[in-house]
Amino acid sequence: MNGLIRSEDDDSLCCDSSSIEFHQGSILGLYEALVGKPYVCNMVADFVVICISFEVKEIVPLIESSGGAKHLFWKESAIVMIKLLAPQIFEKMSMQEMRDLVSRSPIYMFPDQESMEISHHSIAFLLEGSLKTQETEEIITSPTVLLQPTGGQNLSGMTGPSGASSSHSGLRYIVVRTARILILDYPQAAVGEVLSGHSTKFESVK
């Protein structure tokens, strides 16, 4: 894509999407192709943009035949999902900065019933599958952000137009359905600073 596209307020994704912009180099729609969803949220162009489009049927054979291509597609799709799910934290980052961050961040597959824990130095993004918290057994479905409470503060502060949350805060999780999770190295304390307005740039907490 060459130009500027922004996401439009829509209840289909629980995020504060009204101010999220996608610039040149963004790959849109890849996540939907990977998980088989018709769409995640609406996109609006305020002026003419140049886009190259591919049919899903052209991408599926690559995903099924090449593990390397599938891994690359998941990484690229994660860039857009991170900006949609956690706009307050990553809105200041350029596409190149996002790609650099995601390229050095691992994606793990967790089988059913396996337990997992989010460290204080990470943010996790549930891209596929579902989990439940050990504390409340609340069912959490993808896509969403997984945070850990810091200093008694609940960091589930990212909400959408409908008032629902695009993030979940908990110490430990149990996999309900095979989960694909991206782990970003980003201190939880810094998340609290961003959401409280004390920090506005990703670079300030590197």
Side-chain angles (χ1 to χ4, degrees):
M1 185 191 81
N2 185 1
L4 175 65
I5 289 179
R6 61 180 173 83
S7 59
E8 184 180 47
D9 273 352
D10 190 275
D11 289 345
S12 58
L13 182 68
C14 297
C15 62
D16 180 17
S17 60
S18 59
S19 62
I20 306 170
E21 296 180 346
F22 294 93
H23 297 264
Q24 178 177 343
S26 301
I27 301 178
L28 307 176
L30 189 53
Y31 178 79
E32 292 89 329
L34 289 167
V35 300
K37 289 187 176 183
Y39 75 105
V40 172
C41 70
N42 294 325
M43 298 290 180
V44 177
D46 291 329
F47 46 83
V48 176
V49 296
I50 300 173
C51 298
I52 299 175
S53 62
F54 295 91
E55 295 288 338
V56 172
K57 63 183 180 182
E58 298 174 345
I59 297 174
V60 171
L62 286 174
I63 297 172
E64 295 176 344
S65 64
S66 172
K70 184 176 183 179
H71 183 72
L72 177 62
F73 287 165
W74 274 109
K75 289 269 188 167
E76 281 292 332
S77 71
I79 295 171
V80 172
M81 295 311 297
I82 288 170
K83 291 182 78 71
L84 283 174
L85 293 168
Q88 297 98 321
I89 302 173
F90 298 100
E91 63 183 349
K92 300 297 183 181
M93 294 186 70
S94 67
M95 284 304 300
Q96 187 56 54
E97 289 172 324
M98 290 294 297
R99 281 201 171 91
D100 290 343
L101 176 64
V102 172
S103 68
R104 59 178 185 267
S105 302
I107 293 179
Y108 296 107
M109 294 294 296
F110 293 90
D112 296 2
Q113 302 306 312
E114 183 168 337
S115 61
M116 61 165 294
E117 182 174 338
I118 308 301
S119 78
H120 288 290
H121 297 284
S122 302
I123 301 177
F125 290 84
L126 177 62
L127 299 175
E128 189 179 32
S130 58
L131 311 169
K132 65 180 179 180
T133 59
Q134 285 192 353
E135 293 82 4
T136 64
E137 295 198 346
E138 174 191 5
I139 300 298
I140 301 167
T141 57
S142 60
T144 194
V145 189
L146 305 175
L147 302 167
Q148 193 180 92
T150 301
Q153 179 186 18
N154 190 319
L155 299 179
S156 299
M158 291 166 280
T159 59
S162 62
S165 177
S166 65
S167 63
H168 293 269
S169 183
L171 293 173
R172 297 176 182 83
Y173 301 90
I174 298 174
V175 178
V176 175
R177 181 168 57 88
T178 303
R180 189 184 306 270
I181 298 176
L182 172 74
I183 306 293
L184 295 184
D185 183 17
Y186 192 95
Q188 295 283 328
V191 176
E193 290 180 7
V194 172
L195 295 181
S196 66
H198 295 144
S199 176
T200 58
K201 288 190 177 182
F202 178 88
E203 292 85 354
S204 65
V205 293
K206 277 185 178 179

